[in-house]
Amino acid sequence: MVAVTLERVSKKYRRGGDILARRLGEGSGSHEGQPGTGEFITALADVSLEVRDGETLSIIGPSGSGKSTLLRVVAGLEQPDTGRVLYNGKDMADIPPKERGIGMVFQNYALYPHMESRMNLGFFFLVRKRAQEIPERVRVTAEIMGLGFEQLLSRRPPELSGGQQQRVAIARCICRDPQLFLLDEPLSNLDAKLRSSTRVEIKRLLRRFGITTLYVTHDLTEALALGDRIAVLNEGKLEQVGPYSELVERPVNVFVATFVNTPPMNILPAHYNRAAHEAVIGAVHLALPPGSYTDAPSEILVGIRAQDVLPRGAPGVLPLAVEVVEPLIAERAQLVHGRLNGHPFTAKLSAEWQVMPGQLIWLDVPPERIYVFDARTQRLLA
Ligand SMILES: Nc1ncnc2c1ncn2[C@@H]1O[C@H](COP(=O)(O)OP(=O)(O)OP(=O)(O)O)[C@@H](O)[C@H]1O
Ligand SMILES: [Mg+2]
């Protein structure tokens, strides 16, 4: 098994490096090869990260935040411009991808379309003149993959459903006995139902092997179901890495706070009244948690999670002008979207409350559930 370290890894792409990048370049009116700003796209900016031996690290971030680039750099399919990638402390700069003992699964599976599943699993050994190992490898892998996998072995990819192709792609990885699993949005092609069952299956396999895994997704549910820890990328920067509970309880900045919460944490611009230790949001005066914001600036952002507000019968602190009510049947709850002092705000309330669009409701929030960020730097204030 292997621990992976990224040491201050940066990676830029030249605009026009591929079709997508060229399109982006056109959109912003810049021209390929022209000197000056906008010639390069920063895919990874000074990323340092430790993936522990045997852990599954989920990597989440918006589209274009550098998730796939990070995987490709770890795999050795791309070289970082600066910084190093180490496996068990050993610099991998000179080790080609095929000698790194990795198994990769991509969104589009990349199975060989003309080969039966059996051969998709075995091809790796065939080209390495180890064909004699194939039957036993395939047998063991099918056993690991569990019920129903045998039947897939004699079919070619066009004869398999998306979910089945995904299982074959994963089996092809397992078959090679990898020391490191790199999965890039492996479930994004599947429909919701198949996605959740395949997610459970992947989790079972990862548990069973304890193979070090990097799992890229922009689905938060998936990230937290599979990852022992979660790394949040934004515009090539690693914003925070930790167990989900830590990201939720102590997000380092506004980006993480909104990204790891569903619905996203509400963020309200406010003034900080130092004397009263309260946030002033229009006519609303909100008592802040006891704590020393001795260095708090006068312009702050108040963060409140949708599920942390409590409705009050009598007028209370936060007036929410209700616009849209969205029932969450399974949770016996509802999302109440509206405006608070002109700013969008969402509250998650128990279904027993009768809430109608057009209504003004009053919400209370326990001071200890309030987050305070510096409005300029967007960072959480301790
Ligand atoms: N070969 C390339 N040439 C030029 N630019 C590239 C290339 N590959 C990626 N990029 C750019 O680098 C940035 C990061 O891309 P990357 O594919 O790592 O994002 P991602 O987080 O995986 O996004 P998605 O969720 O959409 O898959 C993007 O701005 C992208 O356009
Ligand atoms: Mg990607």
Side-chain angles (χ1 to χ4, degrees):
M1 292 303 138
V2 68
V4 177
T5 311
L6 279 80
E7 254 179 31
R8 310 204 59 178
V9 168
S10 292
K11 177 79 192 168
K12 284 189 170 70
Y13 289 110
R14 185 173 281 277
R15 264 184 211 279
D18 65 5
I19 295 163
L20 175 65
R22 210 168 295 138
R23 286 232 178 96
L24 287 173
E26 278 165 17
S28 63
S30 71
H31 297 281
E32 190 185 342
Q34 213 174 58
T37 55
E39 196 184 348
F40 290 98
I41 297 166
T42 300
L44 293 175
D46 203 11
V47 172
S48 294
L49 179 64
E50 187 85 39
V51 192
R52 297 167 190 156
D53 187 352
E55 91 168 322
T56 297
L57 182 73
S58 292
I59 298 164
I60 57 170
S63 187
S65 57
K67 305 182 296 295
S68 298
T69 305
L70 193 147
L71 275 206
R72 290 204 300 269
V73 164
V74 169
L77 298 168
E78 306 269 7
Q79 288 301 327
D81 300 333
T82 56
R84 303 197 297 166
V85 174
L86 309 126
Y87 286 16
N88 287 338
K90 182 176 180 303
D91 191 336
M92 298 303 279
D94 299 323
I95 313 293
K98 62 178 188 327
E99 288 168 28
R100 295 191 184 192
I102 49 185
M104 286 190 85
V105 179
F106 297 97
Q107 179 176 348
N108 56 8
Y109 328 135
L111 293 173
Y112 310 115
H114 54 287
M115 288 182 198
E116 291 177 357
S117 301
R118 184 185 307 282
M119 223 35 234
N120 259 292
L121 266 57
F123 191 69
F124 174 88
F125 302 97
L126 190 67
V127 296
R128 280 165 183 72
K129 312 221 177 320
R130 288 157 62 188
Q132 72 284 0
E133 292 178 34
I134 295 174
E136 180 62 8
R137 293 255 181 192
V138 171
R139 192 190 63 76
V140 172
T141 305
E143 212 175 280
I144 292 165
M145 293 304 293
L147 217 61
F149 192 78
E150 281 281 345
Q151 285 107 280
L152 308 182
L153 285 173
S154 54
R155 297 199 219 157
R156 291 176 302 119
E159 299 159 345
L160 299 168
S161 73
Q164 291 168 335
Q165 289 185 43
Q166 199 50 268
R167 294 182 74 195
V168 173
I170 292 166
R172 185 171 60 170
C173 268
I174 290 173
C175 189
R176 297 171 192 175
D177 233 346
Q179 58 169 344
L180 178 62
F181 248 154
L182 302 175
L183 305 169
D184 194 351
E185 312 237 11
L187 308 182
S188 56
N189 273 358
L190 310 182
D191 64 46
K193 185 153 171 262
L194 204 50
R195 197 152 63 216
S196 75
S197 63
T198 312
R199 183 172 74 214
V200 174
E201 179 165 1
I202 292 182
K203 189 174 174 109
R204 187 168 54 77
L205 290 170
L206 293 178
R207 276 282 132 73
R208 179 151 169 195
F209 290 103
I211 300 173
T212 312
T213 302
L214 275 90
Y215 190 95
V216 164
T217 176
H218 48 251
D219 182 325
L220 185 65
T221 321
E222 224 170 278
L224 73 100
L226 290 166
D228 299 309
R229 292 188 303 153
I230 297 178
V232 184
L233 276 180
N234 177 30
E235 294 179 345
K237 292 191 305 291
L238 180 66
E239 300 280 15
Q240 191 168 3
V241 51
Y244 182 62
S245 58
E246 200 176 295
L247 302 192
V248 166
E249 289 302 320
R250 290 205 61 76
V252 295
N253 57 24
V254 171
F255 179 84
V256 176
T258 47
F259 202 78
V260 303
N261 282 287
T262 30
M265 183 186 281
N266 296 293
I267 303 290
L268 300 166
H271 295 288
Y272 175 54
N273 178 343
R274 193 176 307 275
H277 194 56
E278 60 185 17
V280 183
I281 308 164
V284 176
H285 289 244
L286 201 58
L288 293 176
S292 54
Y293 303 118
T294 45
D295 54 350
S298 57
E299 300 309 308
I300 57 173
L301 298 170
V302 168
I304 299 170
R305 267 193 232 104
Q307 63 270 33
D308 287 341
V309 291
L310 307 162
R312 293 196 4 167
V317 274
L318 302 170
L320 179 64
V322 179
E323 291 173 335
V324 176
V325 179
E326 203 184 329
L328 302 172
I329 306 294
E331 296 179 66
R332 294 176 200 282
Q334 55 189 333
L335 288 181
V336 180
H337 306 280
R339 299 261 156 192
L340 201 158
N341 196 41
H343 293 281
F345 193 96
T346 298
K348 184 173 175 180
L349 306 180
S350 158
E352 77 215 30
W353 291 87
Q354 296 279 326
V355 181
M356 308 289 279
Q359 210 180 340
L360 186 74
I361 60 171
W362 295 94
L363 302 169
D364 218 351
V365 54
E368 69 274 11
R369 308 302 325 172
I370 296 175
Y371 290 81
V372 181
F373 302 92
D374 181 324
R376 190 181 57 82
T377 64
Q378 308 251 311
R379 298 198 72 78
L380 184 72
L381 295 167

